[in-house]
Amino acid sequence: MINVDGLTKTFRMDNYEISAVDDVQLNVQPGEFILIFGRSGCGKSTLLGMLAGLIRPTKGVVRVHGVDIAHLSDDDVSGLRAKEIGFVFQFSGLLSTLTVLENVLLPTLFCTYSPSSGLRALELLEKVGVLDRADAYPHTLSSGEMKRVAIARALINGPALLIADEPTGDLDVDTEFEIMELFRQLNHEGTTIVMVTHNPDLVPYGTQSYYMERGKIVGKPKTSSCENLDLKSVSHLTTRDLT
Amino acid sequence: MKKKMSFQSFIIAGIRNKPGRNLATAFCFAFIAANIFSGQYLIAGAVGSVNQGVSRMGADFIVAPIEYTVLLRGSGPENTFAIVKTLPTVWRMNNNRMDTIGNVQGVIGISPQLYVATINASELSSLPVDIFGFDPETDFTIQPWLRQPLKNPLSQGEVIVGHQITGDILSKVQVSNRSYTIAGRLDPTQSAADTTIFMGLDDAYSLAQTEGVVPLSAPRISRGDINAVLVRIQPGEDPDPIGARIRRSFPPSQVTVIGRHFTLDPISQDIQGLPGLLKIISLVIVVATFPLIALIAAMVTHERQREIGLIRSMGAKRNVIFSLVIVESLFLAAIGGIAGVAASLIAFLLLNTTGILNSALQVSFRQPAVADTGYMAGIALFVVIAIGGIASLVPAYTSSRMNPYDAIRGEDR
Ligand SMILES: Nc1ncnc2c1ncn2[C@@H]1O[C@H](COP(=O)(O)OP(=O)(O)OP(=O)(O)O)[C@@H](O)[C@H]1O
Ligand SMILES: [Mg+2]
């Protein structure tokens, strides 16, 4: 489904360069659930942005369904995003001027119109457990509720690929569990998922896990050597996943 | 609960839920619209008043039996004298002399007037009321003073009354047991016309036959008698030679030809210059406000970077973003424009009824007709909406070109 080769993103500042993503290779098969770990600033968000065509790579290719999106026109990438990719940002990313329901329905504006999207939005809100807040404005929601709404919004157009950047970042364990169960269910229903997280406890959810460091995928957490991991992650990983 | 999303509802939600920034933008548009509209409205009102003033200047000459000489005071612009009607005298002449005057070179209009009688009728006025006959078809001195134009040409049994005569339009007035319908009322002339009832010559002759109307001391009025002929000459012609030609067309010492002792041209030229000045002021203000609007549009777009980045990440194409920014601006321009026009219209109506407008403008302000007002409002709206569209072109373009991820990162995370 996604085929990444030699993917590089360099941010040029006034007098120095940041190599946010550096020569990354990655293969995602349809139906996979990919987890990406890594310290803050190692380039995870930048990588996800490039997978969704939101960030233009400095070098390398991102093929989605065999098409190199780096060389597609902006409109074609937008069309691909609208139909095929649901994106959950690290921050909530809701529009403050729209209600929860309107936020969820917003992406339908950029896709072919379907009369059933109203019902689908309500179903999704029910699925993520915020149906009762459908008419609320985002500023009245807790950050967990915002995340759920953002997830519902990412799913409204029925994307084949869901990209989620720390969707459970600042949530309590129970909410995190609920969302991960939702993701698992979606994955079973056929949605391919690429997700960034800091929580090594989530490794069992993934069909594949990768660890990033300074812009590179340096290995899979299960097999990677311990010095590549940050200390917090290591403690979790050793207790749970290396046993 | 609304279960559909449309671009309209998206734009409207954005406007409704961010009142601050949108009010500022709409206010600017309102300001421009108000300016353009007021400029036109003032021009139209002032020009209308000048045109009315010119038409109310009355006759250039009055040709009457040699026995009398008269000028009537009127309240045209600058309180000059306007010959609206002749003095109530009993010296008459026959209307067969009218052709002679009409044939004089330079004369473009003639109209006869007949003084019938003066009556005392407390139900009509506390002052004595003059009854005059005139010819509604050729008249050019009385009807320009009408407050409201007549619905139909004055017909038999209908009268035009001066400002101080009591009675509503379409109500009846009694003169010596004869009943007449009030078809029109004059604006104040500050002359004897204010206490005069004007009727068609035929009605005047019949009334004159009625017992007790014309005092026994006065000579009888027979059909064809008139007191004077009011004369209008070709505008811009020197009146003196024309007056002399009229006099020479009669045997010596038969008629007197009295001229008006002022011209309107210098005043009207002053006021005719007004439109140009107001247009320049309007233009300056529009040009000055344009950068302001463009600045606000750019600021709003900057503030909305995150929003734009987000909907781009949901798959909105560049032209969608471009149109959204433009349409929103057009929408605000339309709202602001309507508000601005409405506010100025209300202000003008208030100023006009309180008389402030007249004294501030130094010319009498004549409220433009509804259709003209609508036309001017349309122009103001059109200009404002055009400005809204043009000013948002650059922000619309830059927003649509913005990299979505950078736009989102620009703000909260
Ligand atoms: N637009 C940009 N301009 C300049 N530098 C950038 C930009 N975006 C990212 N970076 C830099 O690239 C690096 C990787 O950033 P990225 O956001 O991908 O990290 P991350 O792994 O998602 O971190 P976190 O876990 O904190 O979200 C960081 O050093 C960041 O400062
Ligand atoms: Mg990140």
Side-chain angles (χ1 to χ4, degrees):
Chain A
M1 167 154 232
I2 303 181
N3 183 267
V4 168
D5 192 15
L7 193 61
T8 300
K9 180 68 189 183
T10 310
F11 290 108
R12 244 170 272 281
M13 311 310 261
D14 286 344
N15 40 14
Y16 60 99
E17 287 185 350
I18 296 172
S19 199
V21 171
D22 191 6
D23 196 21
V24 163
Q25 330 287 328
L26 183 70
N27 266 299
V28 182
Q29 300 304 320
E32 275 195 298
F33 191 157
I34 306 284
L35 292 173
I36 297 173
F37 296 87
R39 301 178 60 143
S40 182
C42 71
K44 305 181 294 296
S45 296
T46 308
L47 174 62
L48 292 192
M50 287 193 288
L51 295 185
L54 290 169
I55 300 174
R56 292 256 162 193
T58 311
K59 242 183 24 221
V61 287
V62 177
R63 282 190 209 91
V64 177
H65 295 313
V67 183
D68 181 4
I69 61 170
H71 292 97
L72 282 183
S73 75
D74 190 275
D75 276 2
D76 289 341
V77 180
S78 298
L80 185 77
R81 262 203 306 273
K83 284 195 217 67
E84 304 280 347
I85 303 174
F87 204 102
V88 180
F89 288 96
Q90 193 169 352
F91 51 94
S92 87
L94 300 182
L95 273 76
S96 58
T97 56
L98 300 179
T99 65
V100 163
L101 182 62
E102 287 169 338
N103 260 286
V104 174
L105 283 170
L106 190 55
T108 62
L109 283 184
F110 316 116
C111 214
T112 33
Y113 173 74
S114 142
S116 62
S117 46
L119 269 180
R120 186 173 157 74
L122 295 174
E123 272 168 30
L124 283 169
L125 283 175
E126 167 139 57
K127 209 169 187 173
V128 297
V130 284
L131 182 58
D132 53 330
R133 308 304 310 275
D135 285 331
Y137 281 93
H139 67 267
T140 65
L141 302 181
S142 74
S143 59
E145 287 167 332
M146 287 190 202
K147 274 278 157 62
R148 292 159 189 258
V149 176
I151 292 165
R153 187 177 66 189
L155 297 172
I156 185 73
N157 285 338
L161 173 65
L162 177 66
I163 299 179
D165 197 347
E166 293 185 43
T168 60
D170 43 8
L171 302 182
D172 63 276
V173 185
D174 292 341
T175 311
E176 179 173 53
F177 175 75
E178 283 169 28
I179 287 182
M180 288 316 292
E181 285 303 314
L182 174 67
F183 275 29
R184 192 214 294 278
Q185 188 194 335
L186 286 168
N187 184 237
H188 282 161
E189 289 163 12
T191 310
T192 308
I193 299 178
V194 177
M195 174 180 149
V196 162
T197 179
H198 284 294
N199 186 354
D201 290 346
L202 303 183
V203 166
Y205 284 99
T207 55
Q208 291 280 349
S209 298
Y210 296 100
Y211 187 79
M212 268 186 93
E213 196 174 270
R214 277 187 236 118
K216 287 182 187 294
I217 290 184
V218 292
K220 307 186 175 185
K222 281 179 186 172
T223 57
S224 62
S225 56
C226 289
E227 60 266 48
N228 280 342
L229 307 178
D230 74 58
L231 281 176
K232 203 160 149 250
S233 306
V234 168
S235 62
H236 287 288
L237 282 173
T238 45
T239 52
R240 252 190 84 110
D241 299 294
L242 298 181
T243 47
Chain B
M1 188 171 357
K2 226 171 77 229
K3 286 193 275 172
K4 244 184 84 183
M5 191 72 199
S6 64
F7 285 105
Q8 290 108 285
S9 52
F10 175 63
I11 290 174
I12 291 169
I15 289 174
R16 193 185 48 208
N17 294 323
K18 284 272 193 261
R21 68 183 183 200
N22 296 303
L23 269 180
T25 318
F27 184 81
C28 272
F29 285 125
F31 180 73
I32 296 183
N35 174 265
I36 296 169
F37 177 75
S38 316
Q40 294 181 88
Y41 195 81
L42 285 176
I43 293 168
V47 168
S49 115
V50 169
N51 289 341
Q52 187 190 46
V54 170
S55 71
R56 285 184 172 183
M57 290 322 292
D60 295 289
F61 291 110
I62 185 164
V63 183
I66 192 78
E67 290 89 346
Y68 81 79
T69 298
V70 70
L71 278 182
L72 291 173
R73 194 179 153 77
S75 70
E78 305 294 306
N79 278 329
T80 42
F81 295 93
I83 302 169
V84 177
K85 63 167 206 164
T86 70
L87 270 190
T89 67
V90 293
W91 299 293
R92 305 193 189 95
M93 55 191 195
N94 196 273
N95 64 6
N96 58 19
R97 300 188 178 186
M98 292 202 4
D99 288 346
T100 325
I101 304 168
N103 289 336
V104 170
Q105 194 205 331
V107 171
I108 59 166
I110 50 171
S111 188
Q113 283 189 3
L114 170 73
Y115 163 68
V116 181
T118 300
I119 59 171
N120 284 300
S122 55
E123 74 276 12
L124 294 179
S125 168
S126 54
L127 298 168
V129 174
D130 289 344
I131 311 291
F132 263 73
F134 77 117
D135 175 18
E137 258 171 62
T138 55
D139 162 58
F140 56 88
T141 60
I142 297 159
Q143 289 170 95
W145 287 89
L146 280 167
R147 179 169 303 164
Q148 304 270 316
L150 295 182
K151 299 235 158 46
N152 299 301
L154 197 74
S155 59
Q156 203 136 22
E158 289 184 333
V159 293
I160 292 173
V161 299
H163 174 65
Q164 287 187 35
I165 305 285
T166 316
D168 293 330
I169 300 287
L170 294 182
S171 71
K172 303 275 182 197
V173 286
Q174 295 287 133
V175 180
S176 283
N177 298 327
R178 283 173 182 253
S179 176
Y180 299 91
T181 308
I182 300 181
R185 171 177 298 282
L186 304 184
D187 273 339
T189 60
Q190 272 140 55
S191 76
D194 289 354
T195 52
T196 301
I197 294 176
F198 295 94
M199 58 180 66
L201 277 172
D202 279 342
D203 277 338
Y205 290 131
S206 331
L207 181 65
Q209 308 309 319
T210 312
E211 199 66 38
V213 171
V214 178
L216 290 173
S217 57
R220 300 293 83 203
I221 298 176
S222 40
R223 248 167 221 281
D225 279 354
I226 54 174
N227 285 75
V229 177
L230 303 181
V231 178
R232 167 157 286 182
I233 64 168
Q234 187 77 41
E237 291 271 318
D238 182 1
D240 292 343
I242 299 176
R245 283 202 287 275
I246 295 173
R247 204 171 289 112
R248 279 201 303 274
S249 69
F250 287 91
S253 303
Q254 265 202 6
V255 297
T256 176
V257 179
I258 302 154
R260 190 170 61 189
H261 294 293
F262 63 92
T263 59
L264 191 65
D265 294 352
I267 311 163
S268 71
Q269 263 164 17
D270 264 10
I271 301 169
Q272 304 288 2
L274 208 62
L277 185 69
L278 279 172
K279 270 180 194 140
I280 290 170
I281 295 172
S282 290
L283 193 73
V284 166
I285 293 188
V286 168
V287 168
T289 341
F290 196 86
L292 190 64
I293 295 263
L295 184 74
I296 290 181
M299 272 165 52
V300 167
T301 313
H302 180 79
E303 197 192 311
R304 302 181 65 178
Q305 267 195 32
R306 173 176 164 277
E307 198 176 305
I308 290 167
L310 281 171
I311 60 176
R312 287 275 279 136
S313 79
M314 294 169 206
K317 295 184 175 161
R318 284 179 167 165
N319 57 3
V320 169
I321 303 292
F322 187 84
S323 325
L324 276 176
V325 175
I326 301 261
V327 168
E328 189 181 288
S329 177
L330 293 180
F331 191 81
L332 288 174
I335 290 181
I338 290 170
V341 169
S344 358
L345 200 54
I346 291 168
F348 277 127
L349 292 181
L350 287 179
L351 288 178
N352 206 11
T353 45
T354 51
I356 298 175
L357 211 52
N358 283 343
S359 52
L361 281 178
Q362 301 278 311
V363 297
S364 67
F365 183 82
R366 196 167 164 71
Q367 207 166 297
V370 175
D372 293 340
T373 308
Y375 176 74
M376 292 183 277
I379 288 186
L381 275 182
F382 176 81
V383 172
V384 159
I385 291 173
I387 290 176
I390 295 167
S392 63
L393 277 177
V394 170
Y397 182 78
T398 47
S399 320
S400 71
R401 293 275 130 179
M402 216 158 25
N403 177 290
Y405 215 74
D406 288 346
I408 301 166
R409 287 178 82 105
E411 265 190 60
D412 76 35
R413 300 201 60 190

